[in-house]
């Protein structure tokens, strides 16, 4: 700004000012290194300080056409403006082809100008090159006073220094084959039309030769020509063209476009729909409305929905916990009287007269059970207001295999049509990603992801050879990610200067390979990627005290700024509740709280290489929900990492990805690399959790490497060739057994689940046993989903990835102490479930605590002190009171909300003798086991042999054992089931050294021969 003002003040009357910007852009401004330079601020500075008459903007960035829109909507501008933009308003530029089209075209024009080259001629040259080479829509705004036929917008070259002149190829000869419009183009489809220049339609407005999006309104001459309705993106109006030859048009797939959606837009639309409200897109931007508000008439101006702050709207909604009472159509407006933005019900508009579609009268008229139907209807009304209609693809295509075009990746993907009534609200709201009106069809891709696609982007699969496009058919597998909201300015995050890095390497016990592929190498890699040294903090070995870590993290956070990403790395020892520093435990929730409260940027990436690191994911977003946070953890919650193999898998895989980062490497591809290497090299389950608007298709979560330093595309051995022989699933694996399944990434119940390996139970199998149907479980959310027709050779056996949970100290002793008072722990209520409990004479709120976080040693001291635990017999749960934060064990009989079916266990002990009391103690432990989804059985009845071989995950070996009668096993063995996470049948066994154990039936085999000499393992 300072340099711009200084230059402007040296200008003189009669001069022309040229403003060029090339780099990262948003819909609202230029993304500079230290913040966003708003378009309106740039225009205001130039208009106020420039002493000449004409201003030429040359803008080469995403959404650059929005600057033209700002000029068109500005009043009282004193200068004549021409804005030449490489992309339309709110739309990103293509990543393919020649990235310098605008620059080199302008340079060629400068070299060819001998005083006869008009602005109109130059615009046509740049517009054709941008459309036909890149598939982008060059956008031009001209003030009404600008004459584009004049030849004085470029400096005139001296005689002898001019080029050959600009040569424009004939349009029909220059359109690429894959860009042409096919004979199957229908009325209502979108095409791109080249305006020849001059007057627009029957209006007095003029425009230079440019490509514009248009809708086919009629077919002429058997489809060889079309009547069109053309749309001007900067001046926001339409005009009709009566007849255009089909050979002079470009298809919408070659010029495929997606809006740069505002953050949280889709989430906001779903929230509105659930309150029976929707956005009406039909009211023109800048319309001045007279509005009735609280008995007064106020003035408001309609603003573009893409400029509205939807994140602030959601925050206000959360804070107030109230909603507007008026249902139906709303528009985003700017109030003139207080300079604030708001969502305005169209019902309150007095003038001008606005047509509002018939909808719901009030929330009170919605009958019980009809809420979801009315929410869906609200989103359908919103779609219709933008000129879109949802269609039933199954009615048109039936069960035929289809392909759908994704403009973001420029690829075709196999899919099938869905019934519109079956899709979620989030999928319905995704229509706003697309610019074109017309019919839209919900589809389901191969990986289970649901989406809404323009009917124009859907073909029958057998017609793939006839598709007129440069895009290729792809299978939606590991190279495919879910299309989420395209976050504005996401390209800018790839700049190395936008990263802040905090690293803790408490790894002095693992020096081997550390400098080449461990934490020290990762530190050097961030510096080599161009992240400024002052933005990288590395705590190493003896520096890793808790106070040191906290102070240095806080100091770094104070240096951060908006539009940045924080990377937090920890490698070293850890507990399920936090990192083990040199002099204390740094709790996970303390780390997250500090970052979410003090980090000034928008995105946080956690890289955790330690035991139980998956627990960190549970705390994301609990303090503040306005950050997009991702946690990459080398282990699942409450589990240890393996001690074998390459100990630096996470760090060296991340380093490998950084060296291949060209700004386009999808985060989902990096996730898949990490998951595969952790699973197939170490036998560990890599875990990913996230919070907020995280786009896994974005390529800006790693610093963009300079072109000359890239190591090529990220590649690794794929699944089929890389599964170790000992990790494969055997042919005797049966229904009810567990395996490890690779999810390829995609949506599940409107939430994206990144690629990863998950434990799954076999539900059924084909007659020959080669294909399996699985029920898959997530270690973080406890949700399950079903997949079908999975080949055995794409699975891992559970012995390869078998892991034991980290059970709290004194847990087994505490369970037996509970059982001796005829009480037991109920595992069936999910942790973090909010409940209301009867506490003496009042009802209090609490949350179910995870039993693995509970302080059982303290609980035992309480029992020993009072020699008794108050409360009825039967099921108990761990809870944390909301009013004081204290933990307690309480009876499920005290639960008031939600409704809970309390199982009758034991009412009285009055008539029991000692033997009966001992039986009820055992029954209590058995009931506890049952609530965790486990069933006690005898190995004899399942394996047909009392001589067994049993797999021990903690030693990764098989040991000789004998089957025990479940009724004869000691009480301490009954509590050992908690070491295992999988449900199903469990068998009591006795090893050769006399130790008893309770193990999953799948870990038991009939003995063939002695495998290992059993050594005593301390319980």
């Amino acid at each position: 700004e300072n340099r711009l003002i200084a230059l402007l003040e040296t200008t003189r009357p009669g001069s022309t000012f040229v403003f060029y910007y090339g780099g990262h852009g948003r819909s609202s401004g230029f993304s500079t290194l230290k913040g966003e330079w708003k378009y309106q601020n740039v225009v205001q500075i130039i208009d106020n300080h420039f002493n000449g008459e004409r201003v030429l903007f040359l803008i080469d960035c995403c959404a650059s056409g929005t600057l033209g829109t700002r000029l068109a909507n500005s009043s009282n501008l004193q200068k004549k403006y021409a804005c030449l933009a490489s992309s339309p308003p709110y739309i990103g530029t293509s990543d393919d082809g020649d990235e310098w089209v605008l620059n080199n075209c302008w340079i060629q024009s400068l070299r060819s100008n001998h005083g006869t080259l008009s602005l109109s001629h130059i615009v046509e040259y740049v517009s054709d090159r941008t459309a036909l080479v890149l598939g982008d829509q060059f956008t031009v705004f001209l003030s009404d006073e600008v004459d584009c036929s004049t030849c004085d917008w470029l400096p005139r070259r001296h005689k002898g220094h001019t080029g050959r002149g600009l040569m424009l190829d004939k349009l029909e000869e220059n359109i690429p084959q894959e860009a042409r419009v096919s004979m199957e183009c229908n009325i209502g489809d979108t095409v791109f039309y080249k305006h020849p220049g001059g007057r627009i339609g029957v209006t007095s407005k003029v425009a230079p030769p440019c490509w514009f999006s248009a809708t086919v309104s009629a077919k002429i001459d058997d489809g060889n020509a079309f009547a069109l309705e053309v749309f001007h993106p900067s001046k926001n109006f339409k005009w009709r063209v009566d007849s255009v030859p089909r050979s002079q048009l470009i298809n919408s797939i070659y010029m495929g476009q997606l809006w740069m959606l505002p953050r949280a837009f889709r989430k906001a639309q779903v929230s509105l729909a659930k309150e029976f409200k929707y956005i009406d897109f039909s009211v023109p931007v800048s319309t001045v409305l007279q509005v009735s508000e609280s008995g007064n008439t106020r003035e408001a101006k309609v603003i573009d929905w893409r400029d509205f702050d939807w994140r602030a709207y959601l925050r206000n909604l959360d804070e107030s916990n109230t909603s507007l009472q008026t249902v139906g159509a709303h528009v985003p407006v700017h109030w003139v009287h207080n300079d604030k933005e708001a969502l305005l019900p169209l019902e309150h508009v007095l003038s001008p007269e606005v047509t509002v579609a018939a909808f719901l009268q009030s929330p009170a008229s919605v009958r019980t059970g009809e809420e979801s139907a009315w929410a869906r209807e609200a989103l359908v009304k919103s779609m219709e207001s933008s000129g879109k209609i949802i269609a039933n693809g199954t009615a048109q295509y039936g069960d035929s295999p289809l392909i759908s075009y994704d403009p973001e990746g420029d690829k075709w993907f196999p899919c099938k049509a869905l019934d519109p009534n079956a899709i979620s609200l989030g999928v319905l709201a995704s229509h706003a990603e697309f610019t074109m009106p017309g019919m839209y069809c919900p589809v389901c891709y191969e990986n289970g992801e649901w989406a809404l696609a323009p009917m124009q982007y859907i073909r029958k699969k057998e017609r793939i050879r006839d598709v007129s496009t440069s895009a290729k058919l792809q299978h939606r597998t590991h190279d495919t990610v879910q299309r989420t909201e395209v976050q504005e300015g996401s390209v800018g995050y790839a700049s190395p200067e936008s990263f802040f890095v905090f690293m803790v390497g408490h790894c002095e016990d693992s020096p081997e390979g550390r400098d080449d592929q461990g934490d020290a190498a990762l530190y050097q890699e961030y510096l080599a990627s161009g992240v400024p040294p002052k933005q990288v903090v590395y705590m190493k070995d003896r520096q890793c005290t808790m106070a040191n870590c906290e102070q240095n993290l806080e100091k770094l956070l104070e240096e951060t700024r908006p539009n940045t990403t924080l990377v937090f790395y920890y490698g070293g020892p850890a507990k399920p509740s936090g990192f083990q520093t040199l002099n204390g435990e740094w709790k996970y929730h303390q780390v997250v709280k500090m970052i979410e409260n003090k980090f000034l940027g928008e995105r946080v990436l956690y890289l955790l290489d330690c035991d139980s690191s998956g627990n960190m994911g549970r705390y994301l977003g609990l303090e503040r929900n306005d950050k997009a946070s991702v946690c990459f953890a080398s282990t699942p919650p409450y589990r240890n990492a393996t001690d074998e193999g390459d100990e630096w898998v996470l760090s060296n895989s991340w380093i490998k990805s950084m060296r291949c980062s060209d700004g386009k490497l999808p985060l989902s591809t990096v996730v898949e690399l990490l998951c595969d290497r952790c699973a197939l090299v170490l036998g560990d389950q890599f875990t990913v959790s996230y919070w907020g608007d995280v786009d896994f298709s974005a390529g800006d979560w790693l610093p963009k490497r300079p072109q000359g330093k890239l190591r090529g595309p990220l590649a690794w051995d794929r699944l089929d060739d890389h599964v170790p022989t000992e990790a494969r699933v055997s042919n005797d694996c049966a229904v009810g057994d567990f395996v490890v399944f690779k999810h390829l990434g995609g949506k599940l119940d409107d939430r994206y689940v990144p690629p990863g390996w998950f434990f799954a139970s076999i539900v059924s199998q084909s007659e020959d046993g080669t294909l399996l149907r699985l029920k898959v479980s997530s270690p973080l959310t406890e949700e399950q989903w079903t997949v079908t027709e999975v080949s055995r050779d794409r699975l891992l056996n559970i012995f390869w990835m078998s892991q034991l949970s980290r059970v709290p100290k004194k847990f087994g002793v505490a369970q037996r102490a509970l059982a001796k008072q005829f009480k037991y722990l109920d595992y069936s209520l999910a942790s973090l479930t909010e409940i209301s409990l009867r506490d003496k004479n009042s009802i209090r709120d609490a949350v179910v605590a995870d039993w693995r976080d509970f302080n059982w040693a303290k609980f035992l001291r309480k029992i020993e002190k009072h020699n008794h635990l108050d409360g009825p017999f039967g099921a108990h749960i761990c809870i944390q009171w909301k009013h004081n934060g204290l933990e307690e064990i309480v009876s499920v009989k005290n639960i008031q909300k939600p409704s809970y079916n309390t199982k009758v266990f034991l009412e009285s002990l009055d008539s029991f003798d000692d033997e009966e009391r001992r039986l009820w103690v055992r029954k209590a432990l058995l009931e506890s086991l049952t609530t965790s989804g486990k069933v006690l059985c005898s190995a004899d009845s399942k394996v047909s042999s009392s001589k067994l071989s049993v797999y021990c995950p903690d030693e990764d070996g098989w040991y000789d054992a004998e089957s025990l009668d479940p009724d004869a096993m000691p009480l301490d063995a009954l509590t050992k089931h908690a070491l295992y996470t999988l449900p199903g049948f469990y068998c009591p066994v006795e090893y050769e050294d006399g130790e008893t154990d309770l193990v999953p039936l799948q870990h038991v085999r009939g003995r063939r021969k002695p495998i290992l000499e059993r050594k005593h393992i301390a319980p």
Side-chain angles (χ1 to χ4, degrees), residues 124-199:
E124 183 176 14
Y125 178 53
V126 181
S127 182
D128 278 357
R129 287 283 312 277
T130 303
L132 303 176
V133 175
L134 297 182
D136 284 339
Q137 185 184 357
F138 188 69
T139 304
V140 178
F141 165 81
L142 302 176
S143 298
D144 291 338
E145 305 84 3
V146 171
D147 183 359
C148 61
S149 66
T150 61
C151 303
D152 53 3
W153 284 87
L154 294 173
R156 182 173 179 174
R157 299 282 282 196
H158 296 296
K159 189 174 181 180
H161 292 273
T162 55
R164 300 179 182 178
L166 294 184
M167 300 297 294
L168 295 176
D169 296 327
K170 290 184 179 180
L171 184 60
E172 290 88 343
E173 299 171 359
N174 205 26
I175 295 179
Q177 186 62 38
E178 62 270 23
R180 297 184 181 275
V181 174
S182 70
M183 288 292 292
E184 297 172 353
C185 189
N186 295 315
I187 294 174
D189 284 354
T190 296
V191 293
F192 284 81
Y193 154 77
K194 183 179 176 182
H195 172 60
R199 181 173 292 182

Side-chain angles (χ1 to χ4, degrees), residues 552-571:
N552 281 276
L553 175 58
E554 186 171 12
K555 184 178 178 181
L556 179 66
L557 293 174
E558 289 172 354
E559 299 296 322
T560 59
R561 57 184 179 269
N563 305 317
T564 56
T565 300
L566 175 71
V567 180
F568 179 98
Y569 170 88
Y570 179 87

Side-chain angles (χ1 to χ4, degrees), residues 9 56 132 236 243 261 440 633 648 765 820 909 912 916 936:
E9 291 182 347
L56 172 64
L132 303 176
N236 201 21
S243 180
L261 288 185
Y440 279 68
W648 301 108
Q765 57 185 351
K820 289 175 181 177
L909 291 169
F912 286 179
E916 288 175 314
L936 193 63

